[in-house]
């Protein structure tokens, strides 16, 4: 689940989390994300990293057309929703391509732990048009545990916003990334570097993947890192 320690203590900083709806505009759609700070806490609000990663996707930094994508620790589901809308927008440039995508395996899978799934589903269903929903799946994924529900190397694109937060989850998260990635998969992780442990995770990631920073939002102090599996020849 997309849980992060929250440091901002001012009343103004917390106000946005107590709003029942957070409204955004992506992919020519108005997206209204339901929030539930009171009952579900930090897993049920939109964090800056999700906004920055969604903006980065909208910039066209990665190709979404015809690719399968998964969001890890989705929380409210904003990033996965934006990815699904952008994939449709790209495919609509060609009716033939759109038809091929509809009947192919191109899809977006939005994941989190079981306790968050109903809340996640409500946001996905409320914000995706009916014709997109069949190609968008909300699915349980607890890092390092139910990986058998996913085929090895199943996804072309793996997305995560503010999912680097607890050191005890790092090993499970790395195992999950390793399982979901093929040699051609791309991982995009958006995060703030709050603590030394955040850098420690990036160091762990670099042992298995090539990692580079591809974007920084100075206003929100959010970094986006791209990672791909290391070529075995590079390690020789």
């Amino acid at each position: 689940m997309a849980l992060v320690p929250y440091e901002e203590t001012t009343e103004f900083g917390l106000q946005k989390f107590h709003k029942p709806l957070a409204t955004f505009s992506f992919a020519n759609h108005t997206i209204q994300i339901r929030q539930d700070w009171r009952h579900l806490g930090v897993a049920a609000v939109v964090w800056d990293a999700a906004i920055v990663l969604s903006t980065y996707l909208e910039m066209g930094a990665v190709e979404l057309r015809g690719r399968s994508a998964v969001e890890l620790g989705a929380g409210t589901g904003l990033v996965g929703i934006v990815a699904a809308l952008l994939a449709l927008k790209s495919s609509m440039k060609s009716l033939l391509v759109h038809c091929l995508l509809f009947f192919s395996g191109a899809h977006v899978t939005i994941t989190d732990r079981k306790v968050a799934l109903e809340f996640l589903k409500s946001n996905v269903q409320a914000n995706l048009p009916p014709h997109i929903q069949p190609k968008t799946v909300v699915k349980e994924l607890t890092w390092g545990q139910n990986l058998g529900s996913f085929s090895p190397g199943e996804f072309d694109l793996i997305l995560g916003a503010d999912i680097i937060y607890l050191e005890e989850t790092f090993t499970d998260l790395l195992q999950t990334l390793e399982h979901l990635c093929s040699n051609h998969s791309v991982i995009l992780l958006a995060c703030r570097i709050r603590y030394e442990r955040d850098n420690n995770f990036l160091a762990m990631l670099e042992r298995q993947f090539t990692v580079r920073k591809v974007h920084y939002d100075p206003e929100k102090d959010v970094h986006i890192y791209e990672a791909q599996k290391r070529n075995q020849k590079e390690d020789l």
Side-chain angles (χ1 to χ4, degrees):
M1 186 182 298
L3 301 174
V4 294
Y6 187 65
E7 296 177 326
E8 193 171 358
T9 56
T10 65
E11 183 178 349
F12 175 77
L14 289 171
Q15 284 178 356
K16 63 181 180 180
F17 294 144
H18 287 279
K19 293 181 179 179
L21 286 176
T23 304
F24 306 93
S25 179
F26 287 108
N28 296 327
H29 283 74
T30 297
I31 300 173
Q32 289 193 315
I33 297 293
R34 186 166 68 90
Q35 300 190 124
D36 193 353
W37 172 274
R38 176 173 296 182
H39 295 100
L40 294 174
V42 293
V45 294
V46 178
W47 294 89
D48 285 344
I51 300 170
V52 173
L53 184 52
S54 296
T55 302
Y56 184 72
L57 293 176
E58 189 172 47
M59 289 164 55
V62 294
E63 177 62 64
L64 291 167
R65 184 175 60 188
R67 305 182 77 187
S68 58
V70 61
E71 182 186 5
L72 306 182
T76 63
L78 175 64
V79 174
I81 290 167
V82 170
L85 290 171
L86 288 171
L88 176 76
K89 182 180 177 182
S90 296
S91 68
M92 286 303 291
K93 293 178 181 178
S94 164
L95 181 59
L96 175 61
V97 170
H98 175 62
C99 292
L100 290 173
L101 286 176
F102 186 85
F103 291 107
S104 73
H107 66 280
V108 176
T109 301
I110 308 175
T111 71
D112 212 320
R113 295 188 301 173
K114 186 176 182 178
V115 67
L117 286 189
E118 288 305 314
F119 175 78
L120 177 56
K121 283 179 182 177
S122 69
N123 273 326
V124 172
Q125 292 171 355
N127 287 286
L128 290 183
H131 60 286
I132 302 180
Q133 291 190 24
K135 303 301 292 181
T136 307
V137 177
V138 175
K139 192 170 180 179
E140 179 185 355
L141 175 56
T142 300
W143 302 339
Q145 293 188 25
N146 60 320
L147 296 179
S149 300
F150 299 83
S151 300
E154 180 174 346
F155 298 100
D156 302 309
L157 182 64
I158 294 89
L159 305 168
D162 254 340
I163 62 174
I164 304 168
Y165 57 93
L166 293 174
E167 281 188 285
E168 54 264 36
T169 67
F170 287 177
T171 299
D172 289 336
L173 177 54
L174 284 170
Q175 181 186 357
T176 300
L177 292 172
E178 176 74 23
H179 180 83
L180 297 177
C181 285
S182 70
N183 290 332
H184 304 289
S185 302
V186 174
I187 301 168
L188 291 176
L189 298 177
C191 62
R192 282 181 177 167
I193 302 299
R194 297 178 176 90
Y195 308 104
E196 183 59 31
R197 63 172 176 259
D198 302 330
N199 284 316
N200 291 341
F201 175 81
L202 293 174
M204 294 171 65
L205 186 66
E206 287 180 336
R207 294 171 195 160
Q208 298 173 246
F209 299 85
T210 57
V211 181
R212 65 188 182 106
K213 183 162 67 175
V214 293
H215 183 72
Y216 176 65
D217 185 316
E219 180 182 347
K220 298 185 183 300
D221 190 25
V222 171
H223 307 256
I224 297 180
Y225 295 92
E226 178 188 281
Q228 289 185 281
K229 273 190 176 180
R230 285 188 176 277
N231 188 318
Q232 290 183 350
K233 292 182 181 180
E234 294 177 358
D235 297 330
L236 294 178

